[in-house]
């Protein structure tokens, strides 16, 4: 009998040992098997996360129980149990007690423990702790573990530290009173909670607050159906999906990864006072910042005080709303904006019906501490509701998707408004009846507040993209002034120049010859599709670039002159200016302004020089090229299709502003600019739209295609016609498309901009580039849509199959009757047919 008993005990013991090993190798701990600080860890089923003891930073002896990514070589802790109570030796032990609570002890002293709300009482339970593949440490009844819908006794996701992982809910559970918020570590060596935190606040219209101590540091803004009102940069993207839930039971924000092989996390950092989203880049073995808030000065909570809007591109950034003036003008003018603005005319609210509203466009909704929300009513009812209560200061749609729906009201002072160049929303601010009359005539008098100007401009921008382009040049107002002066060509500067017909400058051959040192090789700066280009210096030190046309033009002298005259009239800050021409005997030359920084290809494809173009500069260049193209396509009197847009045809001025060159060449050469003309092909393989390369069909959409290719080159630093041997893909478009389909578009990004870019923005640009290179010209957006897409947050359509040739391209090339090698080894085709 006792022998049987003993053997049972013995076998139980064996089984226990067996299970203890299994447990540790698997992903759970149970009552009888504690986790000790002896090198053992708990690993989630798929090996993503690991739970164990660790020492943070470098010079610390302290031991903490935490969870980190197992497969990532850089220690990245996502959760810490005993944040405030470190263990100072290796005696830490984690046990699961009979009640289902995890208890962390140091030499019998409890350092940390969980408290389950579930009173386990008499219920027969068998608690077990798992580390899930999501990084969630959960305690569960073993019986529950098999169920589809599990209920946990406790889960670490309910007690986040500084990291917001996919599938976590950040926010409140009204039923349990749980408030899941992030609290940053004090320092990289000290995981204890700092006073820097982030969480949702359950105002009538919920908001998100980043706190420093008891002060609001940054505010997310109320959810507007698409994103938090203050985060238009958060938009549909290839990495993750996000969701906001607000009902009687819960208020939370959550996200999930689209491809589980992509690793992303959101972390609050007290040292840098930011909340960063990171994405793990496996090839580079490092974390890359994907998005970050606060973004800029205007994201500082209430920086402009009440009734003022922060406009990052303005100087000063704070501007009273139209109809308001600085409360303390002196302080305001010395950049102390904290007192904000007050109404010029007090609201009397005598006759409520007569009050009205001024619409602010493109803003972040004000602080919602005193607010009201009804998702069922629309804008008109919303307006009536606001009018009805004298303390209602503003209203807006609570959901801006589509036509807009729902109603949000604000009571009391309007605080923390900012303006966005793109992705902001409309807000209607209450005005006294008497103020409104004046506003009708607002166009005629000088405005102090910038808001009406902003409103008007934004309305215009919606049509023309003007403001959005201005946004590309934000923080550059000083450059703008300089650039403008470049437009003003003082014609007296050019010696040896005659003015033909009053508007076409014609240079003497002797002048040009002298300027270019008789066209010496030393002065040659390039070889384009139409002939060599020389640098020259006129007698008065003015630098010029001279294009000596080698291809005989198919038209007479007068026709030629007329075309040059027309092209010379195209003036835009993103076009190289044609100064004049030189015609003598057989010689035909075009004289351009000289661009000291050469062409874009000499930067982006050069290992060292590419470092000079960080992401924001590249983005400016992209916008500039787009703007130049829009001008050519639709804004100039002539409708010019470039037909040979490429990196070597984008020149850079002193400040590295882009200027498109070689436009209008088809006209100068007597080509017809009518769309669909198939008489000649001028272009460069790798940039040419398929319908143009194969059938000679060109249109503004074939330029869009070339722009898309150029965009990819700027982002990737790779030539469109390199060889991407792996997988037999022969050009950049094919490579980009493949990566995109696999959800790995990040791999396209040039190493030299990885540090300076916001990945979400770059990915958005890659998305736009793929839309530009779609096979079917009708699917490609026009250039004015392209610029809007580039700078805004609209959800973009999925790109369709791009048009690109891979193997047959060399065939097409050899059939070209005439081709000229440019200095950059690109092949420009100029195919002239007999007329
Ligand atoms: C642990 O506790 C025992 C008994 O209370 C004591 O003798 C021992 O010194 C303690 N060890 C440490 C490392 O504190
Ligand atoms: C916070 O950011 C700083 C600098 O960006 C970094 O050095 C530090 O490690 C981060 N802190 C934590 C706790 O990760
Ligand atoms: C106006 O709205 C405020 C805030 O909701 C409320 O406290 C007040 O009673 C309302 N006044 C009237 C007259 O309805
Ligand atoms: C996820 O990404 C991997 C490579 O990173 C890729 O092989 C896989 O096809 C992707 N899965 C989906 C569903 O896109």
């Amino acid at each position: 009998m006792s022998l049987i008993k003993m053997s049972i005990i013995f076998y139980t013991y064996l089984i226990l040992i067996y299970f203890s090993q299994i447990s540790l190798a698997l992903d759970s701990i149970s009552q009888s098997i504690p986790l000790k600080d002896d090198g053992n860890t708990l690993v989630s089923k798929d090996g993503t996360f690991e739970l164990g003891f660790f020492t943070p930073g470098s010079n610390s002896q302290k031991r903490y129980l935490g969870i980190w990514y197992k497969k990532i070589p850089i220690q990245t802790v996502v959760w810490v149990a005993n944040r405030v109570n470190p263990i100072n030796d290796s005696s830490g032990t984690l046990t699961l007690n009979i009640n289902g609570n995890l208890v962390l002890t140091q030499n019998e002293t409890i350092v940390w423990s969980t408290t389950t709300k579930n009173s386990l009482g008499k219920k027969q339970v068998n608690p077990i702790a798992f580390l899930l593949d999501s990084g969630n440490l959960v305690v569960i009844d073993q019986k529950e573990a098999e169920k589809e819908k599990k209920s946990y006794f406790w889960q670490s996701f309910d007690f986040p530290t500084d990291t917001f992982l996919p599938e976590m809910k950040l926010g409140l559970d009204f039923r349990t009173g749980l408030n899941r918020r992030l609290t940053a570590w004090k320092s990289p060596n000290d995981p204890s909670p700092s006073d820097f935190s982030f969480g949702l606040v359950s105002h009538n219209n919920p908001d998100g607050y980043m706190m420093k101590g008891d002060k609001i540091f940054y505010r997310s803004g109320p959810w507007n159906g698409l994103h938090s009102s203050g985060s238009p940069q958060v938009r549909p993207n290839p990495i993750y999906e996000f969701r906001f839930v607000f009902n009687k039971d819960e208020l939370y924000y959550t996200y999930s990864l689209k491809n589980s092989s992509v690793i992303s996390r959101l972390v609050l950092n007290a040292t840098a006072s930011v909340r960063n989203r990171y994405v793990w880049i496996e090839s580079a073995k490092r974390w890359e910042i994907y998005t970050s808030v606060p973004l800029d000065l205007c994201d500082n909570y209430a920086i402009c005080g009440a009734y003022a809007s922060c406009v990052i591109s303005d100087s000063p950034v704070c501007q009273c709303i139209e109809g308001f003036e600085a409360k303390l003008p002196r302080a305001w003018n010395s950049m102390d904006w904290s007192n904000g603005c007050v109404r010029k005319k007090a609201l009397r609210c005598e006759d409520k019906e007569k009050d009205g509203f001024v619409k602010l466009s493109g803003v972040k909704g004000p602080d919602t501490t005193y607010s009201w929300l009804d998702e069922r009513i629309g804008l008109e009812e919303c307006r009536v509701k606001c009018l009805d209560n004298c303390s209602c200061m503003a209203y807006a749609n609570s959901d801006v998707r589509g036509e807009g729906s729902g109603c949000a009201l604000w009571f009391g002072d309007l605080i923390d408004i900012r303006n966005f160049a793109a992705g902001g929303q409309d807000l209607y601010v209450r005005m006294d009846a008497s103020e409104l009359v004046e506003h009708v005539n607002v166009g005629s008098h000088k405005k102090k507040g910038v808001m009406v100007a902003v409103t008007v401009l934004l309305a215009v921008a919606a049509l023309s993209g003007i403001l959005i382009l201005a946004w590309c040049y934000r923080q550059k107002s000083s450059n703008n002034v300089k650039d403008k002066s470049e437009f003003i060509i003082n014609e007296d500067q050019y010696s040896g120049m005659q003015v033909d017909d009053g508007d076409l400058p014609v240079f003497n051959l002797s002048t040009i010859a002298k300027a270019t040192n008789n066209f010496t090789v030393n002065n040659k700066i390039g070889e384009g599709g139409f002939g060599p280009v020389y640098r020259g210096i006129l007698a008065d030190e003015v630098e010029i670039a001279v294009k000596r046309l080698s291809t005989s033009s198919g038209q007479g002298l007068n026709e030629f002159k007329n075309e040059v005259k027309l092209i010379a009239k195209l003036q835009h800050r993103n076009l190289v200016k044609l100064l004049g021409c030189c015609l003598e005997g057989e010689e035909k030359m075009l004289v351009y302004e000289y661009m000291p920084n050469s062409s874009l290809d000499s930067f982006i494809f050069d290992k060292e020089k590419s470092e000079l173009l960080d992401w924001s500069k590249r983005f400016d260049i992209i916008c500039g090229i787009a703007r130049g193209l829009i001008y050519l396509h639709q804004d100039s009197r002539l409708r010019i299709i470039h037909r040979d847009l490429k990196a070597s045809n984008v020149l850079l001025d002193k400040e590295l502003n882009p200027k498109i060159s070689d436009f209008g060449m088809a006209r100068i050469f007597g080509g017809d600019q009518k769309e669909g003309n198939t008489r000649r092909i001028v272009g460069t393989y790798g940039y040419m739209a398929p319908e143009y390369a194969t059938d000679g069909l060109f249109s503004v959409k074939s330029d869009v295609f070339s722009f898309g290719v150029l965009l990819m080159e700027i982002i990737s630093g790779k030539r469109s016609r390199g060889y991407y041997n792996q997988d037999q893909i022969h050009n950049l478009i094919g490579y980009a498309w493949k990566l995109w389909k696999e959800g790995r578009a990040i791999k396209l990004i040039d190493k030299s901009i990885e540090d300076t870019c916001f990945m979400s923005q770059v990915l958005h640009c890659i998305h736009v580039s793929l839309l530009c290179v779609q096979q079917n010209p009708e699917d490609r957006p026009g250039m004015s849509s392209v610029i809007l897409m580039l700078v805004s947050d609209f959800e973009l359509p999925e790109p369709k199959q791009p048009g690109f040739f891979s193997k047959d391209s060399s065939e097409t090339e050899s059939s070209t009757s005439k081709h000229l090698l440019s200095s950059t080894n690109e092949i420009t085709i100029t195919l002239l047919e007999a007329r």
Side-chain angles (χ1 to χ4, degrees):
M1 199 61 177
S2 69
L3 192 73
I4 293 171
K5 216 173 191 174
M6 265 179 70
S7 60
I8 286 175
I9 289 169
F10 178 71
Y11 279 112
T12 312
Y13 184 68
L14 273 189
I15 287 168
L16 266 180
I17 288 177
Y18 176 76
F19 271 108
S20 80
Q21 275 160 8
I22 291 288
S23 296
L24 292 177
L26 289 174
D27 56 357
S28 65
I29 40 174
S30 59
Q31 277 176 62
S32 42
I33 305 131
L35 180 68
K36 292 194 168 146
D37 188 2
D38 55 4
N40 270 320
T41 58
L42 205 65
V43 176
S44 76
K45 205 186 268 164
D46 71 358
T48 306
F49 287 99
E50 188 167 27
L51 170 88
F53 291 88
F54 74 100
T55 297
S58 44
N59 47 13
S60 161
Q61 297 300 313
K62 296 168 177 166
R63 302 294 283 169
Y64 295 88
L65 177 74
I67 299 171
W68 56 86
Y69 291 95
K70 182 168 173 57
K71 292 173 186 163
I72 287 180
I74 302 168
Q75 186 189 66
T76 309
V77 175
V78 298
W79 182 78
V80 185
N82 54 321
R83 294 183 82 172
V84 284
N85 263 336
I87 298 170
N88 52 19
D89 57 23
S90 57
S91 69
T93 306
L94 179 69
T95 50
L96 183 63
N97 71 16
I98 183 80
N99 297 324
N101 278 318
L102 288 165
V103 182
L104 180 62
T105 53
Q106 174 185 23
N107 199 15
E108 312 292 309
T109 312
I110 295 179
V111 173
W112 172 87
S113 76
T114 65
T115 43
T116 60
K117 287 250 167 66
N118 303 42
S119 106
L120 303 173
K122 294 155 216 137
K123 246 204 308 179
Q124 200 60 31
V125 289
N126 195 357
I128 185 163
F130 285 98
L131 179 61
L132 304 181
D133 292 335
S134 58
N136 194 4
L137 176 64
V138 301
V139 181
I140 195 169
D141 182 358
Q142 225 154 17
K143 280 193 222 95
E144 286 273 323
E146 280 112 54
K147 287 189 192 156
E148 187 64 31
K149 199 159 180 281
K150 302 171 177 61
S151 82
Y152 302 127
F153 294 150
W154 179 91
Q155 57 177 323
S156 62
F157 270 18
D158 280 343
F159 304 91
T161 54
D162 65 339
T163 304
F164 181 24
L165 288 173
E167 315 297 344
M168 225 180 220
K169 289 176 176 178
L170 192 68
L172 295 94
D173 188 325
F174 301 125
R175 298 161 299 192
T176 59
L178 203 60
N179 185 357
R180 289 156 298 216
R181 44 190 296 120
L182 304 178
T183 322
W185 289 23
K186 271 202 175 121
S187 76
N189 294 330
D190 182 2
S192 67
S194 65
D195 67 352
F196 193 59
S197 67
F198 179 82
L200 299 190
V201 283
S202 62
H203 298 151
N204 286 336
N205 190 5
D207 213 324
Y209 283 166
M210 194 179 283
M211 305 292 294
K212 242 187 189 168
D214 57 2
K215 291 220 161 58
I216 304 171
F217 180 70
Y218 162 80
R219 187 176 62 88
S220 301
W223 186 258
N224 68 13
L226 291 172
H227 45 70
S228 297
S229 175
S231 292
Q233 70 274 21
V234 174
R235 52 195 164 202
N237 64 74
I239 310 271
Y240 63 96
E241 281 166 326
F242 48 93
R243 201 154 52 93
F244 174 81
V245 173
F246 177 39
N247 56 38
K248 68 176 198 336
D249 294 335
E250 288 181 283
L251 161 65
Y252 65 86
Y253 178 80
T254 187
Y255 71 98
S256 55
L257 297 175
K258 284 186 175 167
N259 185 334
S260 59
S261 69
V262 176
I263 301 171
S264 177
R265 70 197 162 105
L266 205 123
V267 187
L268 202 61
N269 183 318
T271 326
S273 298
V274 290
R275 192 190 70 200
N276 285 335
R277 173 176 292 283
Y278 292 95
V279 172
W280 176 254
I281 308 293
E282 182 57 32
S283 55
K285 296 266 183 288
R286 62 175 204 203
W287 290 104
E288 200 72 68
I289 295 177
Y290 187 81
T291 54
S292 184
V293 288
L295 206 55
D296 55 26
L297 185 65
C298 285
D299 267 352
N300 282 301
Y301 179 73
I303 183 173
C304 298
Y307 301 109
S309 182
C310 191
V311 187
I312 196 70
S313 57
D314 268 3
S315 180
V317 290
C318 290
Q319 305 283 345
C320 293
I321 294 173
E322 179 65 11
F324 291 78
E325 60 196 358
K327 185 172 180 189
L328 305 176
R330 223 192 223 170
W332 184 268
N333 292 335
S334 55
M335 313 230 313
D336 172 5
W337 304 298
S338 55
N339 295 293
C341 305
V342 289
R343 289 179 188 278
K344 289 180 187 163
K345 290 221 174 79
L347 263 188
R348 285 164 300 177
C349 205
E350 280 163 351
D351 189 351
K352 286 190 278 198
E353 308 297 295
K354 284 212 182 110
D355 277 0
F357 296 88
V358 158
K359 178 174 162 185
L360 305 190
S361 291
V363 298
K364 167 181 178 177
D367 189 292
T368 59
T369 305
Y370 306 103
S371 63
W372 185 85
L373 178 70
D374 189 338
E375 284 160 342
R376 293 159 308 178
I377 64 175
L379 208 57
E380 193 41 47
E381 263 185 273
C382 196
R383 177 192 165 90
V384 172
K385 271 221 159 15
C386 191
L387 272 183
D388 198 41
N389 185 323
C390 283
S391 52
C392 177
M393 291 302 152
Y395 72 94
N397 268 141
S398 57
D399 189 334
V400 301
R401 284 176 295 183
E403 303 271 280
S405 62
C407 171
L409 301 183
W410 280 265
F411 300 95
D413 289 348
L414 301 177
I415 291 163
D416 197 36
I417 304 173
R418 70 164 295 174
N419 179 268
F420 289 112
Q425 61 186 75
D426 295 341
L427 178 75
Y428 300 85
V429 177
R430 188 184 202 119
M431 286 290 153
D432 189 68
S434 60
E435 267 290 298
L436 282 167
V437 180
E438 273 179 41
H439 285 167
V440 176
N441 306 318
V442 78
S444 58
H445 65 250
K446 199 160 183 275
K447 297 172 282 290
K448 259 197 207 144
V450 80
M451 287 321 298
V452 163
V454 166
T455 308
V456 170
L457 272 175
L458 274 170
V460 174
L463 298 167
S464 67
I466 286 172
L467 185 86
I468 285 164
L469 284 160
W471 183 76
C472 288
Y473 293 91
R474 70 193 195 281
Q475 297 162 326
K476 285 225 179 96
S477 32
S478 57
N479 285 2
N480 282 349
V481 175
K482 260 185 219 149
D483 284 3
K484 262 179 209 142
S485 66
E486 281 175 21
F487 279 111
I488 305 160
I489 304 275
N490 180 355
E491 301 204 336
D492 297 340
Q493 287 174 8
Y494 304 102
S495 53
M497 186 185 80
Q498 304 155 5
V499 174
D500 184 270
D501 299 351
D503 53 3
L504 176 68
V506 174
F507 294 81
N508 297 328
L509 182 58
S510 60
T511 310
I512 300 296
K514 200 168 151 207
T516 60
N517 244 334
N518 252 328
F519 303 100
T520 56
V521 176
N522 284 348
N523 277 45
K524 190 166 153 182
I525 51 176
E527 176 90 48
F530 298 89
V533 182
Y534 298 86
R535 173 173 172 238
I537 303 176
L538 296 175
D540 46 11
E541 309 271 282
V542 172
E543 290 180 294
I544 52 171
V546 179
K547 190 186 284 279
R548 197 174 187 183
L549 304 177
S550 53
T551 321
S552 60
S553 140
Q555 58 188 359
L557 208 61
N558 280 337
E559 269 179 289
F560 180 84
K561 271 205 244 176
N562 281 336
E563 291 302 332
V564 172
K565 225 185 285 176
L566 283 174
I567 299 302
K569 279 190 181 136
L570 298 177
Q571 295 194 19
H572 186 275
R573 54 176 281 141
N574 297 112
L575 298 183
V576 175
K577 181 157 174 50
L578 178 59
L579 301 176
C581 64
C582 171
L583 303 161
E584 266 181 54
E586 289 296 291
E587 288 283 2
K588 282 180 184 160
M589 284 178 257
L590 298 173
V591 180
Y592 293 95
E593 60 176 330
Y594 176 73
M595 290 291 130
N597 269 318
S598 183
S599 50
L600 183 57
D601 60 329
S602 72
F603 280 83
I604 55 176
F605 304 134
D606 184 278
K607 218 172 178 174
E608 274 154 31
K609 280 173 88 184
S610 66
E611 302 279 344
L612 298 173
L613 299 182
D614 64 9
W615 169 246
S616 86
K617 191 68 223 169
R618 287 188 201 204
F619 189 68
D620 288 346
I621 288 172
I622 291 165
C623 290
I625 299 168
R627 194 163 86 143
L629 267 188
I630 291 172
Y631 177 79
L632 288 177
H633 285 177
Q634 63 187 49
D635 295 342
S636 71
R637 284 159 297 177
L638 313 165
R639 185 182 176 85
I640 301 277
I641 295 162
H642 191 294
R643 302 212 239 168
D644 196 15
L645 181 69
K646 57 184 171 185
S648 58
N649 271 342
V650 174
L651 307 186
L652 299 174
D653 73 4
K654 277 201 292 291
E655 279 97 25
L656 300 176
N657 296 309
K659 288 176 188 258
I660 300 172
S661 76
D662 259 11
F663 53 89
M665 290 312 278
R667 276 194 84 108
I668 289 174
F669 275 92
D672 196 324
Q673 279 285 330
K674 234 169 56 208
E675 294 196 22
N677 182 300
T678 59
R679 207 170 292 153
R680 67 179 61 240
I681 291 183
V682 179
T684 303
Y685 285 119
Y687 291 92
M688 278 158 88
E691 73 278 6
Y692 185 33
T694 55
D695 302 322
L697 288 168
F698 66 84
S699 67
V700 288
K701 294 297 183 69
S702 45
D703 273 359
V704 170
F705 186 97
S706 308
F707 176 81
V709 175
L710 186 51
L711 188 47
M712 280 176 193
E713 291 187 329
I714 295 173
I715 291 167
S716 66
K718 293 186 172 71
R719 288 184 190 278
S720 63
R721 298 192 73 211
Y723 285 95
Y724 302 90
N725 278 331
Q726 77 240 56
D727 314 311
Q728 305 298 313
I729 287 175
H730 290 259
N731 68 16
L732 187 57
I733 299 176
Y735 182 55
W737 176 245
K738 181 175 183 293
L739 291 177
W740 178 265
K741 287 309 248 185
E742 294 169 356
R744 296 187 297 147
I746 283 177
K747 284 201 71 177
L748 198 66
I749 302 172
D750 190 350
K751 291 262 174 307
S752 57
I753 55 168
E754 271 180 356
D755 287 338
T756 57
C757 68
F758 280 128
M759 215 155 345
S760 58
Q761 197 186 21
V762 186
L763 285 170
H764 189 74
C765 288
I766 294 173
H767 194 160
V768 173
S769 74
L770 284 165
L771 292 173
C772 291
V773 298
Q774 291 175 104
Q775 172 86 35
N776 184 352
E778 275 154 32
D779 290 336
R780 296 173 209 148
M783 280 314 298
S784 42
S785 310
V786 168
I787 189 87
L788 277 169
M789 287 177 176
L790 282 173
V791 301
S792 66
D793 315 303
F794 306 136
E795 191 168 349
L796 301 176
E798 262 306 298
K800 294 183 191 156
Q801 167 84 27
F804 58 93
F805 15 74
S806 42
K807 284 166 196 164
D808 53 344
S809 58
S810 53
E811 269 170 51
T812 325
E813 208 168 286
S814 58
S815 69
T816 310
S817 66
K818 184 169 188 177
H819 67 252
L820 293 154
L821 272 179
S822 79
S823 56
T824 53
N825 290 334
E826 280 164 352
I827 296 166
T828 294
I829 316 124
T830 309
L831 198 155
L832 297 166
E833 283 183 12
R835 293 163 60 94

